[in-house]
Amino acid sequence: MKPNETLPDEHARDITIYPVGLLHDWQHFVHATDRASARRHFRSSLARELRRIKARKWREAKNYFNGYLAEHETLGSRCGTGWTRGRAYRDLARHLHRDPREQP
């Protein structure tokens, strides 16, 4: 697959892209009407991630920094991640167009 190649239109309609982890918490903090509650939620999320890092739970800590997640409901369990919506979409397209003979 070429770097700028995307998914066919019939698959692109069914893709859901949404923020996760730090980006989700940040958006909740910025757009919440109850600022005190949003601040507490954001601080507790960051504290939880700091505890995970100190406990050396690297996979859990790494997943908090995914940014956006792109999923297709019928094309398998692979998902694309990235700090922008476009990057998550291209990552998903790369996973779906990968040659099955390639190493994961």
Side-chain angles (χ1 to χ4, degrees), residues 32 41 52 74 79 86 94:
H41 176 75
R52 286 178 179 165
T74 61
C79 64
R94 183 179 56 86

Side-chain angles (χ1 to χ4, degrees), residues 27-35 37-39:
Q27 286 182 353
H28 174 72
F29 175 70
V30 170
H31 298 292
T33 55
D34 183 7
R35 299 300 286 175
S37 174
R39 186 171 29 274

Side-chain angles (χ1 to χ4, degrees), residues 54-100:
K54 286 180 180 179
R56 297 182 183 206
K57 295 181 180 179
W58 303 120
R59 184 172 302 200
E60 294 174 17
K62 181 183 81 75
N63 286 338
Y64 185 69
F65 297 101
N66 278 341
Y68 283 98
L69 206 62
E71 294 180 323
H72 191 282
E73 49 187 60
T74 61
L75 291 179
S77 61
R78 298 298 302 196
C79 64
T81 61
W83 274 101
T84 64
R85 290 176 175 270
R87 177 63 184 117
Y89 176 80
R90 287 189 303 274
D91 192 39
L92 176 64
R94 183 179 56 86
H95 284 305
L96 296 177
H97 282 80
R98 182 180 288 172
D99 187 3

Side-chain angles (χ1 to χ4, degrees), residues 10-30:
E10 64 269 5
H11 296 305
R13 285 190 297 269
D14 301 326
I15 293 176
T16 305
I17 303 173
Y18 54 93
V20 294
L22 178 64
L23 189 58
H24 176 265
D25 291 341
W26 177 254
Q27 286 182 353
H28 174 72
F29 175 70
V30 170

